[in-house]
Each structure stands twice: as C-alpha cells, then as structure tokens.
Amino acid sequence: MKKEEKSILKSIYLVTLLMFFQLSISFGKFDFLPIILGLSSCILIAYSYFIISRFFPAGDKYLLILSSFITQFGLVMIYRLNSQNPVRAIKQITFFTIGIAAYIFLVIFLPEIKKFERLRYVYIIITIVLLSSTLFLGREIKGSKNWIQIGRFNMQPSEIAKLFLILYLSSSIKYIKNFYDALKESIPVFISIGLLVVEKDLGAGLIFFGIYITMLYIGTSNFKYILSAVIIFLLGGLASYFIFPHVKVRIDIWLNPFAYKTGKGYQICQSLFAIAAGGLFGTGLGLGYPQFIPEVHNDFIFSAICEEFGLLGASALILLYILLVYRGLRTAIYAKDDYSRLVAVGISSMLAFQIFVVIGGVTKMIPMTGITLPFVSYGGSSMLLNFICLGVLQKISESGWKENE
Amino acid sequence: MNNKNLVRNIKILIIFFCICFFGIIFYLTYFNLYVSQKIINDNSNPRIKAEENKRLRGLILDRDGNVLVYSKRIQNGKQKRYYKYGEVYAHITGYSSVIYGKSGIELSYNDVLSGKTLIYNNPISVFKRFLDVVMNKERKGNNIFLTIDDKLQQKTYSLLGDNIGAAVAINPKTGEILSMVSKPSFDPEKIDDKFDEYNSDSTGVPFLNRAAKGYYPPGSTFKIITASAALNYIDNIENNSFNCNGKLKIGDYILNDYNKESHGKINLKNAFKVSCNYTFGSIGMKLGYDKLKDMAENFMFNKEIPLNDEYDSINIKVGKIKIENDKSLALTAQDAIGQHGVTSNPMHMALIAASIANEGTMMKPYIVKQIRDDYNNILYEANPNVLKNCIDKKIADKVRDYMIEVVKSGTGKNAKINGITVAGKTGTAQVEGKNETHSWFVAFAPAQDPKIAVAVIVENGGVGGGTAASIVREMIKTYLKK
C-alpha cells in the first residue's frame, strides 16, 4: 500500500517538475522562478504526505495525493498565463501552502465529526446569514453581487455557506419521516437558493440544489422527494427565466453564443475557440493563446488546459477528478457513523457538482455560470475552502478506518 | 435510517458521477470532432491573426527571384506588407488587409505565405530551424516564385498606359503565365483608404481583373476557331473560293464587312488574312451551329479552365458560345465571326493562340513556379500539364501559317518585328448598342519555335490592327530580345 503511494508520488514529482521545467524555457529565455515553484510544490507535497502517513496512517492518503497533483495543473497554468508578471502564481502557491496547513491543522485538531450533529439550527442560520450578508454588504464583481470585502480581502460567502449547508442537511435528514417533514426541512434550502438567484450567483445556486437533492436521495432513498424537488426546481427555474433578465441572458447565450460573440457571449466564444484550437494533443504548454480568454485564470482555466494540453490532457484532468470524487465517496462508505457518512457524501458531491458545472459551463455543455474549478482556478478563498473540505474528509476516513480495524 | 441502504445509495451515486464526468469527456470528443472545425475560422477568433503574425509573412517573387512583395516588422511586433510595384502586380498578388481581408495570391496561398501548410521536408532545413530556435531568430513564412517575367510585366503595364483593357502573355509550351495586366489597376497598399473607390463603376472598377474575368466578344480573333472547324469538317475547303461583295445577306439580316469593303473572289487563306466576314459568315452557315460549337468547346469554350497550381488564385471566367435558336443561320454566321453569343477574356484567347502555337495542344496555365521555405529549399515545383488536345497538328500548322500571313501582309501588319516571325490575328469587337469597338490582338512568336503567346484587348481601342497590335509587338520584342 505504502509502496504504491510512494511510486505514484514519484511520478507526480516528475510530471510537476517537467511541466515547470518546460515553463522555464518556453518564453525565449531561461527562467528560474518556475523551477523554484515546482521544487517548493514538490517539497510541500512530500512534507504533507510525510505528516499524514507518519502520524495518521489510518486515513486515506490518496485524497491528499490526488488533490495536490490537481493543484499543480492550476499552478502551472496560472504561471503560464502571466509569465511576465508572475504575482498570481506566487500568490497561488501561497494559497496552496495555506490550504495544506489548514488541512493538516484540521486532521490534527478536529474532534469527531459526530459531535457536530446537534447544532443543526445554528448551521442553517449561519448559511442564510452568510448568503444574505452580500445583499447588504456585497460588492458587485463581474456581474454577480456575491462578494464581500473584509479589509484587503474579497471573499465569496457562498463558498463557506456550502459547507454549513452540508452540515445542516446531514443532521436534519434523519428527521425526515414523511412528505411534510421533507418540505419543512427543505424550506431553508429553498430560501438559500432563492437568495443566490437574486444575487445573480446562479452557479452556486445550481450547486446548492445539487448537494441538497443528492443528500435527500442518499438519506431517504425515496424517489418521490427527489421528483418533487426537481419539479419545484424546474418551475422555479422557468419562473426566474421570465422574471430575472440575467437568467434569460445566460440561457440565450448558451443556446447560441455566436449571436453574442462580440458582446455578452464574447467570453464563452473565446473559450470555445481555445478548446477547438487545442484539438487532440493540444498546442503544447506555452504555445497556445489562452490569454485571449478574459478572466482565464479564474473560471475559464479549464479551456486554457484544453488548448495547451489538448483533449487528452483535459480528459486526464477529468479522470483525476473522478478519482478524487470516488475516494471521497469511498470515505463515506467506510465512515464510522451515518452523520459522518452524510457529511462525506455532501462534501464529495459538492466537489463533483462544482467540477461538472464549471467544466460543462466553459465547454458550453450546460449554460455558463461563474464558479471556480476546485484546486485549479486562481483564488484564495476557494483554495482554502477546498482544503478544509479535504481535511474534514480525511478526518472522517481516518476514524472510519480505525473503526474497521 | 437504514445503514445498508445508505451504502447502496452511495454506490449508485459513484456510478452517477462517473456517468456525468465521462459525459463531459464524451462531449469534448464530440466537440473536437464535429464542432471545432466549424467555429475555428470564425472571424472573431483572434488566434488566426496571432498565428499569422508569429511568422514573418513570406515573399512573392518573380521567376528570376526579384522581390515583388515583402513584409517588415513595424512597431510593437506588428508586420506590414509592402508591394514594391503596387499597381503593376495588383491583380496577380492581390491585397492583404486587416479590414478587407485578402485576395489573389495573398488569399489562395495564405497558408503557404504564413508558413502554415508546408513544413520543412528537408533535414538541413530542420537543422537550421533548430539552430534558429536556439538563437531565438525570427521564423518566416514560405516564399512564392511566380512564373511572371518582371521585365515583361512592367513593360506590358506601361504599354497599356491609360487605356482600359488587359493583356496576357503565356509560354505556349508549358502554360506558364509570363505577364498578366489589367487596367485600371489598384494599389494593394492603399486598400484600407480606397476600397470603395476601387470598387466603384465611375473609376472603371479597378478590382475587376479584366485579363481573366472580363466578358468581351472576341470578334475576329474567333476566326481562328472557325477556320480550324472549316479545315476539320469541310472537305477540300482550302480550294474552295468565296465571292465576297462586302454584304452577306441572310434572309432579312445583312452581315457587313469592315467598312462594307468587298474582297471579290477569295479563298480561305486570304479571307483569314484580310479577316473577311463574308467568307467566315458563309463558312459558319455551312458548318452549322453544332459543329462550330463543338470546335469552340475543343478550345475550352463553355468549360472551366482550371489552373495547374495547387490553389487557384485567378479563377478564369468561362468563355461562352451560345445561340438562342440553333437553326438560325443569321445568328450562326454572327457567332462564326465572334460576335453575338460569343464571349471570352484575354486569358482564354491567349490560351487559344498558345494551343495553335503548341501544335494544337493547350497546356494548363499556371502562375506559381516554385515554393521555397525560408532556407531556400524547394518545397513545390510546378510541372507543366496538358489541359486538352484541341486539334490535330496538321490543322494547327495550317492555322499558324494563316496567322503568319496576317502579320506579314494582312490586317496585323502593325505587329511585324524585324527578324522575328510573328503569327497573329486581329479582332475588332463590336459592343451591342455602342459605336465604339474593342481592339483585340492575339499572337505568338517566333512562329516556328513559339516562346510566347499573347492576347491583348483595349476597350474602345478602334480596330484590332491598331492599338492592340502595337502593344503585342512591343511585348514580344521585350520578351524575346532581352
């Protein structure tokens, strides 16, 4: 077991260093910074793996291995996109370090997840307070009013709210005995989704609904609830298509982006050009033109990967994500108690939905919604939150394995 | 809550997410296979220009390696295209504008010039390229060598002067286009300012390449074809004689000779020499429309003429022969002297002269001689190809002799050159509803070993033996006496 992990890690170091080495020579002159970035990434991965395997050998190490490898893709791409001014890459590796630190901190200090079960009303109140806070304190960035500013930092409360929603749903689902209960427990969720739609944060709304419906099904095995939830969602979606202009615009752009190619559909069209330019093998790292896509380092980083790594590289990344989600759900299966199990399911499906919605969005498979690609997109708050989630999963897997042994 | 149910549900969830994610991979594959080719050349894709700008666009040179068009880097990495001789080569090279796109060689050989399609096929080039990458040297596109003779092209351009018209010279044995000029012309460097002016009727539509896309009645130059048909289809025609009175009466219609001149008793050879409409009208009626049309189609009337080049940069307009009623003798007689339903362009007429010169075989015309990479290695070399065997050598030789007579002592005396036997045919094309006539001259020289075939049209240039013939004379002189 340990041998396999080590050989996988060696391959990861090799790929990471190769990618960064390529970056150091691909812009006309030899650059030391990418090599330094690559080496520090590898040291960071090696160090965190050492801590986890030495002191918490019971847990699932692949969660960490997979996610830090995925992070390298993002780091390489972010450096490549701004090679002249690598501030973002340096910031991103700082966020990665902070994320790893938070992850290790949680694994060491987090008490049993079971203990969190009692506070379910607290969670939902926090969720709704977080979501409505942007209505009063929020700043509108990129057309969505879902950011608040604390000191010098911008953050998205909906990112954190997702975690609290999962905690709430995990504890409340066992109270659902009949349809009336289901409706009662669901009302706060629908309020949250409504708030997100009003704030124009459609992506987060979609993910909230995904998490909600998944956990409802896992917890109750009752298709009637799912069906009614889907019907309510569709009705709500249809209504918001007619009520909110921004929803309508998103759908229209999705149906025919080239009709808006110089205006509101510019970004998605550029993203499609990038994917088309990549083809099967991609143009090669540093040889494409992903910088033509506006905001490419955030939501559209997947298109940049498609252009330079091609269909094969993009598929490899998607497979890595599948493995990560699988390890998360596997953790849920082996968890000690039902509460931990539901929390693990919630976190894994949150990641899965987020990945699906953002990749589907930038490839025009589904309408575009502005959210970040977990572990890859540039951004501190999402990186931190993803590693916190990972820490919780790690904790659950660790206690689960202890139990099984 | 049932523990077993929960685990089973989670397993279902794993399958569900796998389906979702593999769905994305499947969709991306579909996108790459079917959608990407459709959208990638959309004009809002900035990659096209960026990719082109990465390499310095290749040169366009004449057959001897004189640079005609080149690119240079100007401020902030952009490149500008310079046309050394501007209007002289405008209809060949075309233009390359950021606003209005591209035309001519610039358009059809865009991928070659920007270095996209043809890659290094030579290990030495690959090695040199590698060295250049190490040295961080600029990458260049491929260079195109035209079949055009710069001296002849310049001369032709100045000979046409301020006339509206066109001239084409071809190597009859290979099909190489030696010069192609259309007037009025445009300056490819000034496209962005003058696009509308170049496209407007009041200035004579300089964008129109009259040499290949003009639409003129060939007039008496068409008698080359009528004579070929007569020699081919009518037995003993050479010994027949016609009694020309200057006015051929066909029912209610009267076909006049030039200035209603009467040639008296005349045979085919002399009728060709003096361009007798009476004789050729009569021959046309004797042949009938079908045989006339068959012979014209042998000379590529009513047919597309493809270039020998890999990419067609000229698009020669189809020469037409048609008639409203193929029983009508009056209309057949008019077609036989190149009026009424017959239209052509100088490129086509030059090819017809060239096929007589080349013993009845028409070669595929071409304008690109060679393509070389930026290390001067040949990537493409043109091979002459036969387009069509129009007529037997015997007939071609006879028509050639007739054409020699035309220049020696007939309507084309103006094209005579000391020491060079020129074979030619005049044409004076009447334009329906106008008094002015277009002046045509087609020729090749030296008659015994042809090296150049020429067709010239001067709009409103009077008789063919005048302006057009003297232009042809000077062109042949320039080319043969260099």
Side-chain angles (χ1 to χ4, degrees), chain A residues 3-297:
Chain A
K3 218 174 144 192
E4 283 168 26
E5 286 162 11
K6 284 208 165 140
S7 89
I8 291 174
L9 273 174
K10 274 178 201 157
S11 317
I12 290 177
Y13 300 146
L14 182 69
V15 173
T16 307
L17 289 176
L18 273 179
M19 287 196 291
F20 278 107
F21 179 68
Q22 159 97 44
L23 282 183
S24 71
I25 56 168
S26 57
F27 298 104
K29 57 177 198 309
F30 188 83
D31 205 343
F32 271 110
L33 185 65
I35 306 243
I36 296 168
L37 287 178
L39 281 175
S40 19
S41 276
C42 289
I43 291 167
L44 204 56
I45 297 170
Y47 172 73
S48 50
Y49 174 76
F50 170 75
I51 299 276
I52 296 300
S53 59
R54 181 81 173 75
F55 298 107
F56 304 93
D60 183 355
K61 267 83 76 184
Y62 286 106
L63 286 170
L64 175 73
I65 293 173
L66 287 166
S67 52
S68 27
F69 186 37
I70 292 170
T71 310
Q72 299 316 306
F73 271 96
L75 206 52
V76 164
M77 229 41 228
I78 288 165
Y79 178 82
R80 183 257 170 276
L81 291 169
N82 274 305
S83 58
Q84 303 305 318
N85 182 18
V87 178
R88 284 207 181 108
I90 293 167
K91 273 192 178 170
Q92 181 80 349
I93 201 167
T94 316
F95 297 145
F96 178 47
T97 316
I98 295 172
I100 291 279
Y103 164 82
I104 293 173
F105 179 85
L106 283 179
V107 174
I108 297 172
F109 292 105
L110 199 68
E112 286 290 311
I113 304 291
K114 181 83 178 147
K115 289 185 183 152
F116 289 90
E117 193 175 355
R118 283 165 298 140
L119 299 167
R120 67 176 174 133
Y121 288 115
V122 176
Y123 301 139
I124 194 64
I125 288 166
I126 293 175
T127 306
I128 293 181
V129 166
L130 276 172
L131 290 179
S132 45
S133 70
T134 57
L135 280 183
F136 309 109
L137 309 167
R139 296 204 312 138
E140 192 158 320
I141 296 179
K142 285 176 275 169
S144 293
K145 201 175 180 183
N146 54 5
W147 293 80
I148 57 171
Q149 197 172 14
I150 300 166
R152 282 176 57 230
F153 297 99
N154 289 316
M155 57 172 280
Q156 271 181 298
S158 61
E159 298 259 10
I160 304 164
K162 271 180 252 177
L163 195 56
F164 283 102
L165 181 85
I166 291 166
L167 291 175
Y168 162 74
L169 283 171
S170 305
S171 46
S172 64
I173 266 170
K174 69 174 174 195
Y175 298 108
I176 297 177
K177 296 282 185 290
N178 53 38
F179 197 83
Y180 173 71
D181 289 338
L183 205 62
K184 199 178 77 181
E185 301 295 337
S186 301
I187 285 172
V189 181
F190 282 120
I191 292 174
S192 312
I193 295 177
L195 279 170
L196 286 169
V197 173
V198 173
E199 289 161 16
K200 302 184 187 176
D201 195 352
L202 302 178
L206 212 58
I207 288 162
F208 267 58
F209 179 73
I211 296 169
Y212 160 69
I213 200 167
T214 313
M215 295 185 69
L216 197 61
Y217 170 69
I218 300 289
T220 62
S221 313
N222 195 333
F223 260 112
K224 259 192 293 178
Y225 299 156
I226 314 297
L227 207 65
S228 18
V230 169
I231 289 170
I232 292 171
F233 181 76
L234 286 181
L235 285 177
L238 206 65
S240 49
Y241 178 82
F242 291 109
I243 297 168
F244 301 109
H246 57 271
V247 180
K248 187 177 185 312
V249 165
R250 289 279 167 94
I251 302 282
D252 289 346
I253 290 173
W254 174 58
L255 290 174
N256 188 5
F258 288 95
Y260 306 88
K261 66 184 176 187
T262 52
K264 284 181 167 153
Y266 182 75
Q267 204 175 13
I268 184 77
C269 286
Q270 294 303 322
S271 160
L272 293 179
F273 290 146
I275 297 168
L280 180 61
F281 296 105
T283 58
L285 187 57
L287 300 174
Y289 300 94
Q291 66 273 22
F292 287 140
I293 314 168
E295 290 296 323
V296 62
H297 56 276

Side-chain angles (χ1 to χ4, degrees), chain B residues 175-424:
Chain B
E176 291 168 289
I177 298 171
L178 300 171
S179 75
M180 180 173 85
V181 173
S182 169
K183 283 266 187 133
S185 190
F186 60 92
D187 188 342
E189 276 181 37
K190 293 184 182 142
I191 286 296
D192 291 349
D193 304 330
K194 294 192 172 174
F195 189 84
D196 292 329
E197 184 186 315
Y198 287 153
N199 223 352
S200 91
D201 275 327
S202 59
T203 51
V205 198
F207 275 146
L208 175 67
N209 180 7
R210 289 173 161 78
K213 293 199 178 69
Y215 208 61
Y216 302 107
S220 298
T221 54
F222 189 76
K223 285 174 186 161
I224 294 172
I225 286 156
T226 313
S228 305
L231 290 165
N232 193 37
Y233 293 115
I234 305 171
D235 295 333
N236 212 17
I237 183 79
E238 287 167 273
N239 301 326
N240 281 9
S241 56
F242 299 82
N243 224 334
C244 170
N245 58 7
K247 288 180 277 187
L248 180 61
K249 270 196 185 158
I250 313 161
D252 298 336
Y253 179 77
I254 298 170
L255 185 68
N256 285 323
D257 259 284
Y258 186 69
N259 284 344
K260 298 191 180 130
E261 188 185 344
S262 148
H263 298 111
K265 201 168 180 230
I266 194 166
N267 64 4
L268 181 63
K269 188 175 181 178
N270 286 326
F272 193 87
K273 187 170 83 179
V274 299
S275 199
C276 172
N277 285 349
Y278 182 97
T279 310
F280 279 89
S282 312
I283 290 173
M285 288 190 286
K286 208 166 179 181
L287 282 166
Y289 175 70
D290 286 343
K291 281 180 179 162
L292 189 66
K293 186 179 130 212
D294 281 353
M295 184 51 77
E297 284 179 357
N298 275 345
F299 281 96
M300 302 306 286
F301 274 88
N302 291 347
K303 282 175 189 166
E304 296 276 350
I305 299 176
L307 289 201
N308 194 22
D309 292 329
E310 215 162 327
Y311 308 102
D312 194 336
S313 59
I314 299 180
N315 289 315
I316 302 167
K317 192 158 188 155
V318 178
K320 285 244 165 70
I321 177 163
K322 60 172 194 257
I323 199 166
E324 284 78 8
N325 170 12
D326 55 7
K327 297 282 177 312
S328 161
L329 291 175
L331 296 179
T332 307
Q334 287 180 65
D335 272 12
I337 61 160
Q339 293 288 158
H340 184 67
V342 187
T343 46
S344 184
N345 52 63
M347 178 64 76
H348 185 200
M349 291 315 292
L351 284 167
I352 289 169
S355 50
I356 298 291
N358 194 32
E359 302 176 340
T361 303
M362 195 183 282
M363 302 301 290
K364 265 190 190 173
Y366 62 93
I367 196 154
V368 173
K369 191 167 165 255
Q370 249 179 18
I371 296 173
R372 297 192 190 176
D373 66 17
D374 47 335
Y375 305 112
N376 230 9
N377 276 303
I378 297 170
L379 299 171
Y380 165 89
E381 174 103 60
N383 281 318
N385 270 314
V386 172
L387 177 62
K388 197 163 193 322
N389 288 310
C390 309
I391 41 165
D392 290 345
K393 181 179 183 308
K394 260 193 310 190
I395 298 173
D397 285 350
K398 274 177 198 160
V399 177
R400 182 194 61 203
D401 293 343
Y402 294 175
M403 286 170 76
I404 294 173
E405 287 300 313
V406 170
V407 177
K408 209 171 172 186
S409 54
T411 50
K413 274 182 279 193
N414 219 345
K416 215 189 283 181
I417 305 169
N418 275 340
I420 299 168
T421 327
V422 179

Side-chain angles (χ1 to χ4, degrees), chain A residues 293-308:
Chain A
I293 314 168
E295 290 296 323
V296 62
H297 56 276
N298 274 332
D299 312 353
F300 282 87
I301 199 153
F302 185 78
S303 313
I305 289 171
C306 276
E307 175 166 5
E308 302 216 318

